mmCIF file of all heavy atoms in Angstrom:
data_model
loop_
_atom_site.group_PDB
_atom_site.id
_atom_site.type_symbol
_atom_site.label_atom_id
_atom_site.label_comp_id
_atom_site.label_asym_id
_atom_site.label_seq_id
_atom_site.Cartn_x
_atom_site.Cartn_y
_atom_site.Cartn_z
ATOM 1 N N ASP A 8 -47.696 -0.763 -0.887
ATOM 2 C CA ASP A 8 -48.687 -1.534 -0.133
ATOM 3 C C ASP A 8 -48.701 -2.948 -0.704
ATOM 4 O O ASP A 8 -49.122 -3.163 -1.837
ATOM 5 C CB ASP A 8 -50.062 -0.884 -0.256
ATOM 6 C CG ASP A 8 -51.139 -1.590 0.567
ATOM 7 O OD1 ASP A 8 -50.874 -2.715 1.044
ATOM 8 O OD2 ASP A 8 -52.229 -1.033 0.725
ATOM 9 N N ARG A 9 -48.222 -3.914 0.088
ATOM 10 C CA ARG A 9 -48.131 -5.283 -0.415
ATOM 11 C C ARG A 9 -49.494 -5.825 -0.831
ATOM 12 O O ARG A 9 -49.622 -6.509 -1.851
ATOM 13 C CB ARG A 9 -47.530 -6.211 0.660
ATOM 14 C CG ARG A 9 -47.197 -7.615 0.136
ATOM 15 C CD ARG A 9 -47.048 -8.603 1.268
ATOM 16 N NE ARG A 9 -48.296 -8.778 1.980
ATOM 17 C CZ ARG A 9 -49.275 -9.576 1.565
ATOM 18 N NH1 ARG A 9 -49.140 -10.277 0.454
ATOM 19 N NH2 ARG A 9 -50.392 -9.674 2.255
ATOM 20 N N GLU A 10 -50.542 -5.517 -0.053
ATOM 21 C CA GLU A 10 -51.861 -6.033 -0.371
ATOM 22 C C GLU A 10 -52.397 -5.436 -1.679
ATOM 23 O O GLU A 10 -53.096 -6.097 -2.438
ATOM 24 C CB GLU A 10 -52.837 -5.755 0.774
ATOM 25 C CG GLU A 10 -52.583 -6.584 2.025
ATOM 26 C CD GLU A 10 -51.357 -6.142 2.790
ATOM 27 O OE1 GLU A 10 -51.128 -4.913 2.897
ATOM 28 O OE2 GLU A 10 -50.611 -7.017 3.280
ATOM 29 N N GLU A 11 -52.067 -4.171 -1.934
ATOM 30 C CA GLU A 11 -52.472 -3.547 -3.193
ATOM 31 C C GLU A 11 -51.687 -4.117 -4.363
ATOM 32 O O GLU A 11 -52.226 -4.332 -5.443
ATOM 33 C CB GLU A 11 -52.239 -2.043 -3.098
ATOM 34 C CG GLU A 11 -52.544 -1.280 -4.380
ATOM 35 C CD GLU A 11 -52.190 0.190 -4.264
ATOM 36 O OE1 GLU A 11 -52.642 0.822 -3.292
ATOM 37 O OE2 GLU A 11 -51.444 0.692 -5.124
ATOM 38 N N LEU A 12 -50.428 -4.418 -4.124
ATOM 39 C CA LEU A 12 -49.549 -4.879 -5.189
ATOM 40 C C LEU A 12 -49.762 -6.352 -5.516
ATOM 41 O O LEU A 12 -49.781 -6.743 -6.684
ATOM 42 C CB LEU A 12 -48.094 -4.645 -4.782
ATOM 43 C CG LEU A 12 -47.017 -4.854 -5.845
ATOM 44 C CD1 LEU A 12 -47.178 -3.865 -6.994
ATOM 45 C CD2 LEU A 12 -45.630 -4.699 -5.213
ATOM 46 N N CYS A 13 -49.941 -7.173 -4.492
ATOM 47 C CA CYS A 13 -49.979 -8.634 -4.698
ATOM 48 C C CYS A 13 -51.189 -9.313 -4.091
ATOM 49 O O CYS A 13 -51.270 -10.555 -4.091
ATOM 50 C CB CYS A 13 -48.714 -9.267 -4.112
ATOM 51 S SG CYS A 13 -47.177 -8.650 -4.810
ATOM 52 N N GLU A 14 -52.131 -8.549 -3.541
ATOM 53 C CA GLU A 14 -53.322 -9.101 -2.900
ATOM 54 C C GLU A 14 -52.913 -10.123 -1.834
ATOM 55 O O GLU A 14 -52.149 -9.801 -0.947
ATOM 56 C CB GLU A 14 -54.262 -9.696 -3.949
ATOM 57 C CG GLU A 14 -54.806 -8.638 -4.908
ATOM 58 C CD GLU A 14 -55.788 -9.181 -5.905
ATOM 59 O OE1 GLU A 14 -55.870 -10.417 -6.054
ATOM 60 O OE2 GLU A 14 -56.495 -8.363 -6.528
ATOM 61 N N SER A 15 -53.405 -11.364 -1.928
ATOM 62 C CA SER A 15 -53.146 -12.347 -0.870
ATOM 63 C C SER A 15 -52.057 -13.344 -1.234
ATOM 64 O O SER A 15 -51.947 -14.403 -0.620
ATOM 65 C CB SER A 15 -54.443 -13.103 -0.537
ATOM 66 O OG SER A 15 -54.938 -13.769 -1.703
ATOM 67 N N ALA A 16 -51.250 -13.036 -2.255
ATOM 68 C CA ALA A 16 -50.175 -13.943 -2.652
ATOM 69 C C ALA A 16 -49.203 -14.160 -1.502
ATOM 70 O O ALA A 16 -48.918 -13.242 -0.735
ATOM 71 C CB ALA A 16 -49.436 -13.378 -3.863
ATOM 72 N N VAL A 17 -48.689 -15.396 -1.393
ATOM 73 C CA VAL A 17 -47.774 -15.721 -0.308
ATOM 74 C C VAL A 17 -46.486 -14.914 -0.410
ATOM 75 O O VAL A 17 -45.954 -14.426 0.584
ATOM 76 C CB VAL A 17 -47.463 -17.233 -0.305
ATOM 77 C CG1 VAL A 17 -46.406 -17.566 0.740
ATOM 78 C CG2 VAL A 17 -48.740 -18.032 -0.055
ATOM 79 N N SER A 18 -45.964 -14.789 -1.614
ATOM 80 C CA SER A 18 -44.768 -13.970 -1.815
ATOM 81 C C SER A 18 -45.122 -12.789 -2.718
ATOM 82 O O SER A 18 -46.026 -12.877 -3.548
ATOM 83 C CB SER A 18 -43.644 -14.796 -2.452
ATOM 84 O OG SER A 18 -44.038 -15.291 -3.723
ATOM 85 N N CYS A 19 -44.395 -11.699 -2.549
ATOM 86 C CA CYS A 19 -44.705 -10.481 -3.304
ATOM 87 C C CYS A 19 -43.412 -9.819 -3.733
ATOM 88 O O CYS A 19 -42.515 -9.606 -2.918
ATOM 89 C CB CYS A 19 -45.535 -9.532 -2.438
ATOM 90 S SG CYS A 19 -46.008 -7.988 -3.269
ATOM 91 N N SER A 20 -43.312 -9.503 -5.006
ATOM 92 C CA SER A 20 -42.125 -8.823 -5.517
ATOM 93 C C SER A 20 -42.468 -8.137 -6.825
ATOM 94 O O SER A 20 -43.507 -8.396 -7.428
ATOM 95 C CB SER A 20 -40.975 -9.823 -5.731
ATOM 96 O OG SER A 20 -41.324 -10.757 -6.743
ATOM 97 N N PHE A 21 -41.582 -7.249 -7.255
ATOM 98 C CA PHE A 21 -41.698 -6.694 -8.593
ATOM 99 C C PHE A 21 -40.292 -6.555 -9.160
ATOM 100 O O PHE A 21 -39.293 -6.535 -8.422
ATOM 101 C CB PHE A 21 -42.454 -5.358 -8.605
ATOM 102 C CG PHE A 21 -41.822 -4.264 -7.804
ATOM 103 C CD1 PHE A 21 -40.862 -3.417 -8.355
ATOM 104 C CD2 PHE A 21 -42.183 -4.060 -6.477
ATOM 105 C CE1 PHE A 21 -40.289 -2.402 -7.618
ATOM 106 C CE2 PHE A 21 -41.610 -3.042 -5.720
ATOM 107 C CZ PHE A 21 -40.656 -2.216 -6.301
ATOM 108 N N ASN A 22 -40.207 -6.496 -10.481
ATOM 109 C CA ASN A 22 -38.918 -6.498 -11.168
ATOM 110 C C ASN A 22 -38.610 -5.144 -11.792
ATOM 111 O O ASN A 22 -39.514 -4.422 -12.235
ATOM 112 C CB ASN A 22 -38.891 -7.577 -12.254
ATOM 113 C CG ASN A 22 -38.998 -8.967 -11.676
ATOM 114 O OD1 ASN A 22 -38.375 -9.275 -10.665
ATOM 115 N ND2 ASN A 22 -39.789 -9.825 -12.302
ATOM 116 N N LEU A 23 -37.330 -4.822 -11.826
ATOM 117 C CA LEU A 23 -36.823 -3.622 -12.485
ATOM 118 C C LEU A 23 -35.693 -4.034 -13.415
ATOM 119 O O LEU A 23 -35.086 -5.095 -13.252
ATOM 120 C CB LEU A 23 -36.274 -2.625 -11.462
ATOM 121 C CG LEU A 23 -37.196 -2.120 -10.354
ATOM 122 C CD1 LEU A 23 -36.385 -1.319 -9.340
ATOM 123 C CD2 LEU A 23 -38.312 -1.259 -10.937
ATOM 124 N N GLU A 24 -35.434 -3.182 -14.372
ATOM 125 C CA GLU A 24 -34.244 -3.343 -15.204
ATOM 126 C C GLU A 24 -33.399 -2.086 -15.057
ATOM 127 O O GLU A 24 -33.909 -0.977 -15.137
ATOM 128 C CB GLU A 24 -34.617 -3.557 -16.672
ATOM 129 C CG GLU A 24 -35.252 -4.901 -16.950
ATOM 130 C CD GLU A 24 -35.538 -5.121 -18.422
ATOM 131 O OE1 GLU A 24 -35.542 -4.121 -19.179
ATOM 132 O OE2 GLU A 24 -35.752 -6.270 -18.817
ATOM 133 N N ALA A 25 -32.103 -2.291 -14.799
ATOM 134 C CA ALA A 25 -31.160 -1.183 -14.713
ATOM 135 C C ALA A 25 -30.338 -1.161 -15.996
ATOM 136 O O ALA A 25 -29.760 -2.181 -16.387
ATOM 137 C CB ALA A 25 -30.259 -1.349 -13.494
ATOM 138 N N LEU A 26 -30.300 -0.024 -16.663
ATOM 139 C CA LEU A 26 -29.630 0.096 -17.955
ATOM 140 C C LEU A 26 -28.479 1.096 -17.876
ATOM 141 O O LEU A 26 -28.598 2.157 -17.260
ATOM 142 C CB LEU A 26 -30.619 0.561 -19.033
ATOM 143 C CG LEU A 26 -31.799 -0.365 -19.364
ATOM 144 C CD1 LEU A 26 -32.715 0.310 -20.356
ATOM 145 C CD2 LEU A 26 -31.297 -1.683 -19.911
ATOM 146 N N ALA A 27 -27.361 0.719 -18.502
ATOM 147 C CA ALA A 27 -26.225 1.629 -18.661
ATOM 148 C C ALA A 27 -25.776 1.556 -20.117
ATOM 149 O O ALA A 27 -25.694 0.467 -20.700
ATOM 150 C CB ALA A 27 -25.081 1.238 -17.722
ATOM 151 N N ASN A 28 -25.481 2.702 -20.711
ATOM 152 C CA ASN A 28 -25.088 2.758 -22.122
ATOM 153 C C ASN A 28 -23.558 2.809 -22.278
ATOM 154 O O ASN A 28 -22.813 3.082 -21.336
ATOM 155 C CB ASN A 28 -25.701 3.990 -22.792
ATOM 156 C CG ASN A 28 -27.211 3.897 -22.855
ATOM 157 O OD1 ASN A 28 -27.756 2.829 -23.096
ATOM 158 N ND2 ASN A 28 -27.893 5.013 -22.622
ATOM 159 N N SER A 29 -23.133 2.567 -23.519
ATOM 160 C CA SER A 29 -21.728 2.743 -23.954
ATOM 161 C C SER A 29 -20.685 2.033 -23.089
ATOM 162 O O SER A 29 -19.894 2.687 -22.402
ATOM 163 C CB SER A 29 -21.413 4.249 -24.025
ATOM 164 O OG SER A 29 -22.302 4.912 -24.886
ATOM 165 N N PRO A 30 -20.610 0.738 -23.058
ATOM 166 C CA PRO A 30 -21.459 -0.179 -23.825
ATOM 167 C C PRO A 30 -22.786 -0.428 -23.109
ATOM 168 O O PRO A 30 -22.892 -0.200 -21.901
ATOM 169 C CB PRO A 30 -20.616 -1.459 -23.868
ATOM 170 C CG PRO A 30 -19.866 -1.412 -22.573
ATOM 171 C CD PRO A 30 -19.537 0.029 -22.339
ATOM 172 N N LEU A 31 -23.767 -0.945 -23.849
ATOM 173 C CA LEU A 31 -25.078 -1.223 -23.276
ATOM 174 C C LEU A 31 -24.983 -2.426 -22.342
ATOM 175 O O LEU A 31 -24.525 -3.497 -22.731
ATOM 176 C CB LEU A 31 -26.091 -1.499 -24.385
ATOM 177 C CG LEU A 31 -27.512 -1.836 -23.906
ATOM 178 C CD1 LEU A 31 -28.119 -0.644 -23.160
ATOM 179 C CD2 LEU A 31 -28.397 -2.238 -25.086
ATOM 180 N N GLN A 32 -25.393 -2.235 -21.106
ATOM 181 C CA GLN A 32 -25.444 -3.312 -20.136
ATOM 182 C C GLN A 32 -26.812 -3.308 -19.456
ATOM 183 O O GLN A 32 -27.359 -2.247 -19.153
ATOM 184 C CB GLN A 32 -24.337 -3.168 -19.084
ATOM 185 C CG GLN A 32 -22.940 -3.480 -19.609
ATOM 186 C CD GLN A 32 -21.892 -3.336 -18.527
ATOM 187 O OE1 GLN A 32 -21.642 -2.231 -18.053
ATOM 188 N NE2 GLN A 32 -21.273 -4.450 -18.152
ATOM 189 N N LEU A 33 -27.331 -4.491 -19.234
ATOM 190 C CA LEU A 33 -28.654 -4.649 -18.636
ATOM 191 C C LEU A 33 -28.525 -5.479 -17.365
ATOM 192 O O LEU A 33 -27.920 -6.551 -17.370
ATOM 193 C CB LEU A 33 -29.607 -5.341 -19.614
ATOM 194 C CG LEU A 33 -30.990 -5.737 -19.083
ATOM 195 C CD1 LEU A 33 -31.793 -4.499 -18.732
ATOM 196 C CD2 LEU A 33 -31.735 -6.575 -20.120
ATOM 197 N N TYR A 34 -29.093 -4.986 -16.268
ATOM 198 C CA TYR A 34 -29.067 -5.683 -14.998
ATOM 199 C C TYR A 34 -30.506 -5.944 -14.540
ATOM 200 O O TYR A 34 -31.340 -5.042 -14.576
ATOM 201 C CB TYR A 34 -28.349 -4.862 -13.935
ATOM 202 C CG TYR A 34 -26.943 -4.474 -14.319
ATOM 203 C CD1 TYR A 34 -26.713 -3.267 -14.996
ATOM 204 C CD2 TYR A 34 -25.860 -5.290 -14.027
ATOM 205 C CE1 TYR A 34 -25.420 -2.897 -15.363
ATOM 206 C CE2 TYR A 34 -24.568 -4.928 -14.383
ATOM 207 C CZ TYR A 34 -24.359 -3.729 -15.062
ATOM 208 O OH TYR A 34 -23.086 -3.370 -15.422
ATOM 209 N N GLN A 35 -30.761 -7.174 -14.125
ATOM 210 C CA GLN A 35 -32.085 -7.533 -13.620
ATOM 211 C C GLN A 35 -32.131 -7.303 -12.114
ATOM 212 O O GLN A 35 -31.240 -7.728 -11.384
ATOM 213 C CB GLN A 35 -32.400 -9.005 -13.927
ATOM 214 C CG GLN A 35 -32.385 -9.369 -15.401
ATOM 215 C CD GLN A 35 -33.516 -8.685 -16.163
ATOM 216 O OE1 GLN A 35 -34.580 -8.401 -15.603
ATOM 217 N NE2 GLN A 35 -33.288 -8.431 -17.448
ATOM 218 N N VAL A 36 -33.179 -6.626 -11.665
ATOM 219 C CA VAL A 36 -33.320 -6.305 -10.245
ATOM 220 C C VAL A 36 -34.695 -6.780 -9.765
ATOM 221 O O VAL A 36 -35.709 -6.508 -10.412
ATOM 222 C CB VAL A 36 -33.194 -4.789 -9.986
ATOM 223 C CG1 VAL A 36 -33.298 -4.492 -8.486
ATOM 224 C CG2 VAL A 36 -31.886 -4.262 -10.551
ATOM 225 N N ARG A 37 -34.713 -7.504 -8.659
ATOM 226 C CA ARG A 37 -35.987 -7.909 -8.066
ATOM 227 C C ARG A 37 -36.114 -7.284 -6.672
ATOM 228 O O ARG A 37 -35.185 -7.364 -5.872
ATOM 229 C CB ARG A 37 -36.105 -9.430 -7.952
ATOM 230 C CG ARG A 37 -37.496 -9.870 -7.428
ATOM 231 C CD ARG A 37 -37.715 -11.368 -7.465
ATOM 232 N NE ARG A 37 -37.068 -12.042 -6.338
ATOM 233 C CZ ARG A 37 -36.118 -12.927 -6.453
ATOM 234 N NH1 ARG A 37 -35.645 -13.243 -7.656
ATOM 235 N NH2 ARG A 37 -35.574 -13.509 -5.380
ATOM 236 N N ILE A 38 -37.266 -6.702 -6.408
ATOM 237 C CA ILE A 38 -37.550 -6.103 -5.104
ATOM 238 C C ILE A 38 -38.595 -6.975 -4.403
ATOM 239 O O ILE A 38 -39.742 -7.061 -4.843
ATOM 240 C CB ILE A 38 -38.085 -4.662 -5.234
ATOM 241 C CG1 ILE A 38 -37.175 -3.812 -6.130
ATOM 242 C CG2 ILE A 38 -38.254 -4.031 -3.852
ATOM 243 C CD1 ILE A 38 -35.808 -3.549 -5.564
ATOM 244 N N ASN A 39 -38.188 -7.649 -3.336
ATOM 245 C CA ASN A 39 -39.120 -8.442 -2.540
ATOM 246 C C ASN A 39 -39.784 -7.545 -1.502
ATOM 247 O O ASN A 39 -39.102 -6.797 -0.792
ATOM 248 C CB ASN A 39 -38.393 -9.586 -1.827
ATOM 249 C CG ASN A 39 -37.877 -10.636 -2.796
ATOM 250 O OD1 ASN A 39 -38.503 -10.907 -3.815
ATOM 251 N ND2 ASN A 39 -36.738 -11.230 -2.473
ATOM 252 N N ILE A 40 -41.109 -7.636 -1.412
ATOM 253 C CA ILE A 40 -41.861 -6.832 -0.450
ATOM 254 C C ILE A 40 -42.268 -7.722 0.720
ATOM 255 O O ILE A 40 -42.970 -8.714 0.546
ATOM 256 C CB ILE A 40 -43.108 -6.204 -1.099
ATOM 257 C CG1 ILE A 40 -42.731 -5.465 -2.395
ATOM 258 C CG2 ILE A 40 -43.789 -5.256 -0.121
ATOM 259 C CD1 ILE A 40 -41.690 -4.394 -2.219
#
C-alpha cells in the first residue's frame, strides 16, 4: 500500500540488498511503487 508505506510523498520506493556468497557479492535493488 503506497499510502501506508510513503504517506503523501510524491515518489515512493524501498531498497533491498541481494547477497551471494563465495565470493561475496552485494547488489543494490530499488523497488519503485
Side-chain angles (χ1 to χ4, degrees):
D8 183 348
R9 189 199 64 82
E10 289 73 40
E11 177 185 308
L12 190 63
C13 301
E14 296 183 346
S15 59
V17 175
S18 61
C19 181
S20 65
F21 61 88
N22 295 318
L23 302 171
E24 290 183 343
L26 297 175
N28 294 321
S29 303
L31 179 63
Q32 288 181 293
L33 173 66
Y34 304 90
Q35 301 293 331
V36 182
R37 184 173 79 242
I38 309 293
N39 292 326
I40 309 303

